[in-house]
């Protein structure tokens, strides 16, 4: 069920493990699947621009009630517009508002938001102040460790201190700098070297801030290493391409004593949601594109992936495509 005017949760958010906002990937179908596997992880929407929310014709704030806890990631640099969107986010029941100060794409720069805002910490502070004035939920910032030639530790701490003084006490730090010129967004996720130690240093120097790390994390074992020194870990591509790693988050990272769902149990719990989507006129491949990695590492996973990729997009495709793909794995 899509949210309307629901009250946001009041208990403090568990930031131990979160899934990064990823454009075209972390839509509400993927987030529903992720939530089936972990009750504790913190979900983030894809980045939504203030312009889309204020002027767009669609409902860019819709989500499934089951996704909570859920953060809305906003892209923008106009404090007034961000405040409008933050107010709507509160009214719609979101649990956190996150400002994107990390995306390096050309489209984002031309709109004066994303990673280029690291060069304007006072403006980011104004944005945070404006959103906090209308929101009784956390306002957080996702950032890089630097941009272009501005990549000293002093540059990072000046940014963090300025934004902190505006009332932001939670930072998610992608442990790479961003090259605003010359690299594509994909290259910016891979080419600039990771510098985890710089994020560790930030937490040591600012122990009262909540610092989560993002970038290059591929396993829960790696998460455990980071969590010794930090408040949280945000995982991106691995959580999408190999989603079953989420099935053990509650047990291994959050200390909950409960059984781990099998892949087939996850699939079984997801089927009613898919059927509801189809009954409402939705297309099967809008959901199955998020499921192709569910059996990664298992015998027959390529058969699963290929059958779904070749058949889910066809007109009239239904649950039988998923059932047949699973059968083909063992035949």
């Amino acid at each position: 069920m899509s949210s309307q005017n629901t009250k946001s949760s009041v208990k403090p958010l568990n930031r131990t493990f979160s899934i990064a906002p990823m454009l075209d990937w972390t839509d509400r179908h993927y987030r529903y699947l992720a939530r089936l596997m972990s009750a504790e992880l913190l979900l983030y929407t894809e980045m939504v621009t203030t312009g889309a929310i204020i002027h767009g014709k669609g409902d860019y704030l819709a989500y499934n009630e089951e996704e909570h806890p859920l953060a809305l990631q906003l892209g923008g640099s106009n404090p007034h517009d961000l405040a409008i969107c933050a107010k709507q986010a509160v009214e719609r029941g979101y649990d956190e508002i996150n400002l994107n100060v990390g995306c390096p794409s050309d489209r984002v720069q031309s709109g004066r938001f994303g990673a280029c805002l690291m060069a304007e910490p006072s403006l980011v502070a104004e944005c945070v102040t404006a959103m906090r004035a209308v929101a009784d939920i956390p306002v957080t910032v996702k950032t890089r460790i630097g941009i272009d030639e501005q990549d000293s530790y002093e540059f990072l701490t000046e940014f963090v201190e300025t934004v902190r003084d505006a009332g932001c006490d939670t930072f998610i730090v992608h442990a790479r700098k961003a090259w605003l010129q010359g690299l594509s967004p994909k290259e910016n996720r891979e080419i600039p070297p990771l510098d985890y130690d710089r994020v560790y240093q930030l937490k040591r120097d600012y122990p009262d801030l909540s610092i989560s790390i993002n970038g290059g994390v591929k396993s829960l074992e790696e998460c455990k290493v980071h969590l010794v020194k930090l408040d949280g870990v945000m995982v991106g591509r691995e959580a999408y391409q190999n989603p079953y790693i989420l099935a053990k988050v509650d047990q291994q990272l959050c200390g909950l004593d409960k059984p781990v769902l099998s892949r087939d149990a996850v699939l079984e719990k997801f089927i009613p949601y898919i059927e509801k989507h189809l009954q409402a006129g939705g297309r099967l491949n809008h959901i199955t594109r998020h499921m192709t990695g569910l059996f990664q590492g298992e015998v027959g996973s390529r058969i699963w992936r290929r059958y779904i990729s070749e058949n889910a997009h066809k007109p009239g495709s239904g649950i039988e495509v998923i059932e047949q793909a699973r059968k083909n794995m063992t035949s």
Side-chain angles (χ1 to χ4, degrees):
M1 183 178 79
S2 294
S3 70
Q4 286 304 320
N5 293 305
T6 56
K7 186 169 174 58
S8 58
S9 62
V10 292
K11 72 172 185 175
L13 295 178
N14 183 350
R15 301 186 181 280
T16 303
F17 185 97
S18 58
I19 299 178
M22 293 176 281
L23 208 54
D24 297 325
W25 285 9
T26 51
D27 66 12
R28 59 189 182 138
H29 302 316
Y30 169 77
R31 298 193 305 261
Y32 189 96
L33 172 63
R35 181 60 69 209
L36 291 177
M37 290 181 273
S38 168
E40 293 296 310
L41 65 78
L42 177 56
L43 289 165
Y44 283 75
T45 68
E46 305 166 88
M47 181 187 72
V48 187
T49 65
T50 54
I53 294 171
I54 296 171
H55 305 295
K57 294 180 180 177
D59 182 0
Y60 291 91
L61 297 179
Y63 63 89
N64 305 290
E65 206 56 46
E66 294 84 355
E67 293 172 40
H68 288 294
L70 176 65
L72 170 68
Q73 191 187 60
L74 291 173
S77 61
N78 181 302
H80 177 262
D81 290 351
L82 284 164
I84 291 173
C85 296
K87 189 170 185 294
Q88 288 189 37
V90 172
E91 291 168 352
R92 295 294 290 271
Y94 279 90
D95 301 291
E96 174 189 321
I97 300 158
N98 178 262
L99 182 63
N100 184 319
V101 189
C103 181
S105 78
D106 293 339
R107 186 175 69 83
V108 167
Q109 288 182 61
S110 65
R112 199 174 170 222
F113 55 91
C116 63
L117 284 176
M118 281 199 81
E120 300 185 73
S122 59
L123 176 58
V124 176
E126 287 179 42
C127 293
V128 167
T129 298
M131 289 187 286
R132 291 187 70 243
V134 298
D136 58 355
I137 57 177
V139 175
T140 68
V141 167
K142 185 171 189 291
T143 186
R144 294 273 183 145
I145 58 173
I147 50 173
D148 297 334
E149 304 301 337
Q150 297 173 288
D151 62 353
S152 68
Y153 183 64
E154 290 71 27
F155 174 76
L156 176 61
T157 56
E158 181 184 340
F159 173 83
V160 167
E161 287 180 8
T162 303
V163 179
R164 175 203 62 188
D165 292 346
C168 176
D169 62 5
T170 302
F171 294 82
I172 302 106
V173 186
H174 187 152
R176 289 184 174 93
K177 76 172 181 178
W179 284 103
L180 301 182
Q181 303 295 331
L183 293 184
S184 70
K186 181 178 186 297
E187 290 169 331
N188 259 304
R189 290 192 297 267
E190 299 167 351
I191 292 177
L194 286 159
D195 189 348
Y196 293 146
D197 287 338
R198 184 164 296 192
V199 186
Y200 297 161
Q201 184 66 48
L202 194 66
K203 178 61 184 179
R204 285 196 297 271
D205 292 343
Y206 302 90
D208 294 339
L209 295 179
S210 172
I211 306 290
S212 295
I213 199 165
N214 171 231
V217 181
K218 296 186 181 301
S219 70
L220 298 190
E221 290 304 314
E222 291 176 43
C223 290
K224 292 175 186 176
V225 173
H226 291 307
L227 287 169
V228 172
K229 300 180 178 181
L230 298 165
D231 301 290
V233 181
M234 176 180 275
V235 178
R237 282 166 291 169
E238 192 67 21
Y240 186 86
Q241 295 165 346
N242 183 20
Y244 190 65
I245 69 164
L246 306 178
K248 297 180 181 179
V249 165
D250 292 356
Q251 296 83 351
Q252 292 195 12
L253 302 185
C254 301
L256 296 192
D257 182 14
K258 66 178 188 179
V260 175
L261 287 177
S262 68
R263 296 171 203 256
D264 281 317
V266 173
L267 195 57
E268 187 176 333
K269 290 180 73 173
F270 200 27
I271 292 295
Y273 177 85
I274 300 172
E275 289 176 330
K276 188 176 178 182
H277 171 75
L278 295 173
Q279 288 164 4
R283 294 178 62 91
L284 182 66
N285 64 319
H286 290 171
I287 293 183
T288 54
R289 68 190 187 94
H290 303 303
M291 300 166 54
T292 56
L294 184 60
F295 290 92
Q296 184 170 310
E298 299 288 288
V299 175
S301 62
R302 288 184 180 178
I303 295 170
W304 159 269
R305 195 162 54 241
R306 185 172 64 243
Y307 190 85
I308 285 180
S309 298
E310 291 176 353
N311 294 280
H313 67 281
K314 295 177 180 176
S317 294
I319 295 297
E320 71 281 351
V321 171
I322 298 170
E323 294 171 341
Q324 190 60 50
R326 185 68 184 99
K327 284 179 186 174
N328 289 354
M329 287 180 65
T330 56
S331 61

